[in-house]
């Protein structure tokens, strides 16, 4: 008895609900993770869900005399030949007992009724007729499993006439006889049971279960953490993975056990929401690696197909220079640079998200950049991508002004089944699957439709997002950055950083709480709202100008061989012509209007004179930009 109780505890939690509801219900709908593999602790085997249910329903404690399984491919079948014989005998007795000649046609006594190409009752209409006879039989108490319910109805809201007919038959099966006997015998031995298995409850017509207490819905979830841990402990001898080192010295007699338990704990945390089928493949993959991998690398190899993590390839020496490296591209934003540097070091040390959970499934970092336009928000995101992943192409930008309609979320995560574009997936989920190690920038997030923000709640909380095709994208190796100009339109006329910071923080709070009604998203951001200062210092603005001019100088040198020399006067003209509140973007506009446009005509008129050892001198003469093509003084 003790062994039976222990094995019952090893079943998933939903099994207890099944064992409670099966004896008293007429119909059960199991939905969700129904196509996974399940562990049977009694037989110590991994089986499909239908097989597990057949074994459970065959237990004498539930009181069923037979259990059959049906799907459209294999028809109706029973785990034992004896059950099949009793099934045919019950149908034959039922037919012979009807003296009016209107009995269900069960065929000859050789039990060939309902067969089609060797399959028993493969047609749903014929099946419903047979089950109707069986469910009304007084001598048998059958339980029938109908598998792949999501494939039976083409459109749950609008089934075709044939589907509607046999769904009506199923409803009548669940309803039971016209005269319901309520006495002690019938209460102890209720009628038969219909169980429908479906991966999606939305694929089943609501008419089957809504408003009927005789039909119970039982969600079948992915394995719990305890079940995942038991799986890896059960197969510890076959798991080839680096064992975690104990925090304190452990006696030799306990070393093997403690390392196995530590490894099982680590893998159980890292495999949250995965199926048993995933766990089996991870176990198999561990045996095929050249050398044992740590749990994190093994999961990266399984999820992303690459065991190398740019996060782990960061060196301590490089990280000590993170602030200086970012300042080479972003000037005048020391607080923002320091915040990004801290996030990077925290992720490198493996501390990202540990205050929320040990699963480490959240993004490596989440930042919300807010401030005036043109002050370096996007540039800092690009610099972060280049620093972390060695390539600016790891920077993926989404312009959220393009997602301002109610159904724009379908562009991000893909259209649902049956809609145009379903097979293409979502732009965001596809991008993350292709480049899991990346910086994701959601530019001008305040312009997105509020429905989009619900998707970000899931990303920030769980670190994953499932697209319309049912495929999951993981964000655990990425950095999420939002940018916004909220509050820029009424920014106070001051250069005091403290006043500006409080202004933008309050503006962001009002926007999310009062306008969007999404305070939960603001809570997810926490202290990661980074305010960018106005750039009014002339030295900083001059440095920004030099960097904006550098691509032009490099291009002319590479294509034509000519150098570019700008006088201090012309630089001062550009700086004075750009509004300080427009930041770097204002400088770009001035450079385009006053330098690049007239220079294009100047170069076009002298295209045959452009060659190496010549310099284009740009000066300010009589309040006009003046160009002159000069020979280099040291050229012979």
């Amino acid at each position: 008895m003790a062994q039976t109780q222990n094995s019952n505890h090893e079943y998933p939690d939903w099994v207890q609900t099944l064992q409670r509801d099966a004896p008293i219900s007429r119909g059960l709908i199991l939905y969700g993770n129904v196509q996974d593999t399940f562990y049977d602790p009694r037989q110590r085997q991994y089986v499909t869900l239908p097989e597990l249910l057949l074994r459970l329903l065959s237990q004498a404690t539930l009181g069923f005399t037979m259990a059959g399984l049906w799907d459209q491919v294999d028809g109706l079948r029973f785990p034992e030949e004896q059950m099949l014989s009793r099934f045919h005998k019950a149908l034959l007795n039922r037919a012979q007992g009807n003296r009016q000649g209107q009995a269900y046609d069960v065929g000859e006594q050789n039990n060939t009724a309902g067969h089609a190409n060797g399959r028993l009752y493969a047609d749903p209409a014929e099946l419903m007729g047979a089950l109707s006879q069986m469910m009304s039989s007084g001598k048998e108490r059958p339980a029938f499993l109908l598998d792949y319910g999501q494939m039976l109805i083409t459109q749950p809201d609008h089934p075709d006439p044939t589907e509607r007919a046999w769904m009506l038959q199923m409803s009548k099966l669940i309803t039971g006889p016209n005269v319901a006997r309520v006495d002690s015998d019938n209460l102890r031995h209720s009628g038969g049971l219909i169980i429908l298995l479906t991966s999606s409850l939305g694929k089943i017509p609501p008419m089957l279960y809504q408003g009927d207490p005789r039909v119970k819905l039982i969600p079948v979830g992915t394995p719990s953490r305890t079940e995942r841990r038991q799986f890896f402990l059960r197969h510890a001898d076959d798991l080839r993975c680096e064992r975690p080192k104990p925090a304190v010295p452990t006696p030799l007699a306990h070393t093997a056990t403690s390392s196995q338990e530590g490894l099982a704990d680590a893998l159980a945390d890292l495999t949250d929401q995965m199926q048993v089928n995933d766990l089996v493949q991870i176990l198999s993959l561990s045996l095929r690696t050249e050398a044992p991998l740590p749990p994190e690398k093994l999961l990266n190899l399984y999820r992303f197909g690459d065991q190398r993590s740019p996060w782990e390839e960061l060196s301590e020496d490089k990280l000590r220079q993170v602030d200086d490296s970012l300042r080479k591209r972003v000037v005048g934003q020391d607080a923002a640079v320091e915040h990004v540097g801290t996030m990077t070091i925290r992720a490198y040390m493996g501390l990202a998200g540990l205050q929320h959970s040990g699963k480490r499934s959240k993004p490596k970092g989440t930042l919300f950049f807010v401030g005036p336009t043109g002050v370096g928000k996007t540039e800092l995101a690009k610099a972060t991508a280049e620093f972390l992943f060695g390539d600016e192409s790891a920077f993926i930008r989404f312009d959220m002004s393009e997602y301002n309609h109610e159904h724009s979320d379908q562009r991000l995560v893909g259209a649902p089944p049956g809609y145009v574009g379903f097979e293409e997936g979502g732009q965001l989920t596809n991008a993350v699957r292709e480049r899991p190690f990346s910086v994701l920038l959601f530019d001008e997030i305040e312009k997105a439709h509020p429905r989009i923000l619900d998707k970000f709640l899931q990303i920030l909380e769980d670190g994953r997002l499932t697209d319309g095709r049912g495929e999951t994208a993981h964000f655990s190796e990425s950095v999420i950055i939002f940018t916004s100009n909220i509050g820029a339109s009424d920014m106070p006329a001051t250069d005091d950083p403290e006043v500006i910071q409080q202004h933008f923080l309050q503006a962001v709070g009002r926007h999310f709480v009062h306008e969007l009604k999404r305070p939960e998203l603001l809570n997810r951001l926490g202290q990661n709202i980074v305010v960018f200062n106005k750039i009014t210092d002339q030295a900083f603005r001059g440095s920004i100008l030099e960097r904006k001019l550098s691509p032009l100088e490099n291009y002319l040198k590479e294509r034509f061989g000519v150098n570019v020399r700008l006088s201090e006067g012309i630089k001062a003209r550009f700086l004075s012509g750009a509004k300080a509140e427009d930041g770097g973007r204002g400088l770009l506009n001035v450079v385009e209007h006053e330098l690049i446009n007239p220079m294009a005509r100047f170069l076009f008129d002298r295209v045959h004179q452009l060659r190496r050892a010549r310099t284009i001198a740009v000066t300010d003469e009589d309040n006009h930009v003046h160009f002159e093509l000069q020979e280099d003084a040291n050229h012979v």
Side-chain angles (χ1 to χ4, degrees):
M1 179 64 69
Q3 182 178 359
T4 301
Q5 292 177 348
N6 290 336
S7 63
N8 281 336
H9 287 306
E10 295 185 50
Y11 283 117
D13 292 340
W14 59 264
V15 170
Q16 298 182 19
T17 304
L18 174 82
Q19 292 174 327
R20 180 198 66 205
D21 290 341
I24 63 175
S25 302
R26 294 282 298 184
L28 297 178
I29 299 179
L30 275 62
Y31 65 95
N33 186 37
V34 298
Q35 295 177 353
D36 198 6
T37 300
F38 297 83
Y39 182 67
D40 181 359
R42 293 175 180 269
Q43 302 294 329
R44 297 184 179 181
Q45 294 176 328
Y46 290 95
V47 297
T48 62
L49 179 59
E51 175 63 26
L52 179 64
L53 292 175
L54 287 176
R55 295 181 180 186
L56 292 171
L57 294 172
S58 298
Q59 296 176 9
T61 54
L62 296 184
F64 295 104
T65 58
M66 68 175 67
L69 172 65
W70 178 90
D71 63 58
Q72 277 190 298
V73 175
D74 297 322
L76 180 63
R77 53 199 185 278
F78 295 87
E80 300 175 7
E81 186 67 27
Q82 179 183 7
M83 289 186 182
L84 177 61
S85 299
R86 294 179 62 178
F87 173 79
H88 283 297
K89 183 178 180 180
L91 287 182
L92 187 61
N93 291 339
R94 179 72 177 173
Q96 291 175 346
N98 192 322
R99 301 302 182 184
Q100 302 300 322
Q102 301 298 322
Y104 177 77
D105 182 12
V106 297
E108 302 295 332
Q109 295 188 20
N110 58 5
N111 295 336
T112 59
H115 281 76
N117 298 324
R119 298 174 298 165
L120 184 61
Y121 300 113
D123 182 82
E126 292 185 357
L127 173 74
M128 293 303 146
L131 297 189
S132 178
Q133 299 295 314
M134 283 298 304
M135 295 287 282
S136 60
S137 172
K139 295 183 178 180
E140 299 288 350
R141 190 183 176 213
F144 294 103
L145 312 176
L146 310 185
D147 200 3
Y148 295 98
Q150 70 274 12
M151 307 296 290
L152 300 180
I153 304 295
T154 53
Q155 296 184 9
D157 294 332
H158 305 283
D160 63 38
T162 301
E163 295 169 344
R164 187 184 298 272
W166 68 262
M167 292 303 288
L168 177 59
Q169 289 180 292
M170 185 181 294
S171 297
K172 294 198 67 174
L173 287 179
I174 295 173
T175 301
N178 294 330
V179 178
R181 295 174 54 192
V182 181
D183 52 46
S184 58
D185 290 338
N186 281 278
L187 291 175
R188 292 191 182 94
H189 305 285
S190 57
L193 177 68
I194 300 292
I195 300 179
L196 190 61
L197 309 182
T198 177
S199 60
S200 173
L201 187 61
K203 297 290 186 179
I204 302 300
M207 59 173 284
L208 281 179
Y209 56 86
Q210 283 186 347
D212 192 343
R214 293 165 295 189
V215 182
K216 303 295 178 59
L217 304 179
I218 301 179
V220 180
T222 53
S224 65
R225 185 190 184 280
T226 300
E227 293 166 22
R228 299 193 303 274
R229 183 177 186 275
Q230 289 174 344
F231 174 90
F232 289 111
L233 286 176
R234 197 179 299 130
H235 301 284
D237 293 339
D238 295 322
L239 180 62
R240 188 167 174 262
C241 195
E242 278 190 13
R243 263 55 176 177
K245 296 179 181 180
V248 295
T250 307
L252 293 178
H254 301 287
T255 299
T257 301
S258 62
S259 64
Q260 288 181 356
E261 292 180 350
L263 182 57
D265 284 329
L267 288 170
D269 287 334
L270 292 168
T271 54
D272 184 43
Q273 295 296 312
M274 285 190 174
Q275 299 181 2
V276 171
N277 291 333
D278 289 303
L279 308 185
V280 172
Q281 293 184 63
I282 291 171
L283 187 66
S284 178
L285 181 62
S286 73
L287 299 174
R288 288 168 168 78
T289 57
E290 294 182 3
L293 299 175
E296 293 84 356
K297 285 190 174 182
L298 180 62
L299 263 294
N300 281 346
L301 180 60
Y302 177 70
R303 284 174 173 167
F304 311 130
D306 188 356
Q307 67 189 55
R308 297 184 305 104
S309 170
W311 292 98
E312 296 178 358
E313 293 178 358
L314 292 172
S315 65
E316 294 182 17
D317 293 338
K318 183 178 181 179
L319 281 172
R320 295 185 191 281
Q321 305 298 322
V322 58
D323 292 350
D324 294 336
S325 297
L326 296 177
R327 286 194 187 98
K328 292 179 180 179
R329 293 186 57 172
V330 181
V331 298
Q333 305 294 349
D334 289 347
V337 166
E338 183 178 350
H339 203 120
V340 173
T342 301
M343 175 215 67
T344 303
I345 294 174
R346 181 186 64 201
Y348 173 79
M349 297 300 295
L351 302 179
L354 285 182
Q355 72 275 20
H356 299 286
S357 170
K359 296 181 290 189
R360 304 183 193 178
S361 59
K362 295 178 180 293
K364 293 292 187 184
T366 301
L367 300 169
F368 189 100
F369 292 168
V370 62
T373 181
V375 293
K377 299 188 292 292
T378 301
E379 187 68 18
L380 183 54
K382 291 181 180 179
T384 303
E386 183 178 18
F387 179 85
L388 291 175
F389 308 119
D391 187 357
E392 194 174 302
S393 64
F395 166 80
I396 305 174
R397 177 180 176 273
F398 294 89
D399 186 350
M400 300 314 294
S401 63
E402 300 177 3
Y403 300 88
N404 57 356
H405 299 296
E406 182 178 1
H407 298 291
S408 298
D409 61 328
Q410 295 183 10
R411 293 179 57 193
L412 282 181
V413 302
Y419 286 78
V420 176
F422 156 72
E423 66 282 352
E424 297 176 3
Q427 295 175 353
L428 173 58
T429 50
N430 288 345
V432 173
R433 273 193 292 268
E434 292 171 6
R435 297 205 69 153
F437 302 97
S438 59
V439 171
L440 300 171
L441 178 73
F442 300 96
D443 205 7
E444 297 185 295
I445 186 64
E446 74 277 5
K447 295 183 180 179
H449 191 277
R451 183 171 175 176
I452 296 286
L453 302 180
D454 296 333
K455 303 298 181 183
F456 292 122
L457 281 174
Q458 184 176 351
I459 293 174
L460 300 182
E461 184 67 24
D462 301 325
R464 60 177 175 267
L465 195 61
T466 302
D467 64 14
R469 297 178 300 190
E471 299 179 2
T472 301
H474 297 272
F475 294 77
S476 56
E477 302 299 324
S478 62
V479 173
I480 308 293
I481 298 179
F482 303 99
T483 69
S484 173
N485 297 325
I486 297 173
S489 61
D490 57 347
M491 186 171 52
T494 178
D495 294 335
D496 188 340
E498 292 293 333
V499 174
I500 292 176
Q501 179 170 351
Q502 289 303 316
H503 167 76
F504 279 104
L505 291 177
Q506 292 173 6
V508 170
R510 287 194 301 269
H511 182 77
F512 280 98
V513 175
H514 299 294
E515 295 184 31
L516 295 180
K517 311 296 184 183
R518 292 293 194 280
E520 62 274 19
L521 182 58
L522 187 65
N523 290 334
R524 298 297 191 283
L525 296 172
Q527 302 299 315
N528 292 311
I529 301 176
V530 182
V531 177
F532 280 60
N533 298 319
K534 291 193 299 185
I535 300 179
T536 56
D537 186 275
Q538 285 297 96
F540 285 153
R541 298 181 73 231
S543 179
I544 293 173
L545 178 62
E546 294 288 348
R547 298 180 190 196
K548 299 303 182 183
L549 293 173
S550 181
L552 172 65
E553 296 169 351
N554 293 336
Y555 171 76
L556 294 178
K557 181 73 173 179
E558 179 181 346
R559 179 171 180 180
F560 301 110
V562 298
N563 297 311
V564 179
R565 184 175 65 248
L566 280 77
S567 68
E568 293 302 319
I570 198 65
K571 293 179 182 178
R573 175 189 175 91
F574 295 157
L575 290 174
S576 62
K579 296 180 180 179
E581 57 267 26
D582 292 339
R585 192 162 289 115
L587 286 172
L588 285 177
N589 294 335
V590 170
V591 167
E592 178 184 4
H593 176 68
E594 298 212 16
L595 176 64
I596 295 180
N597 288 346
M599 179 181 281
R601 286 190 172 275
F602 177 83
L603 295 175
F604 181 75
D605 293 339
R606 296 161 180 79
V607 66
H608 299 296
Q609 302 176 33
L610 301 178
R611 59 176 180 267
R612 295 188 181 281
R614 289 195 169 185
T615 297
I616 301 173
V618 186
T619 57
D620 183 13
E621 295 187 7
D622 299 329
N623 204 28
H624 287 85
V625 180
H626 178 73
F627 300 94
E628 184 179 354
L629 187 60
Q630 303 174 345
E631 291 282 352
D632 289 350
N634 57 357
H635 178 63
V636 180

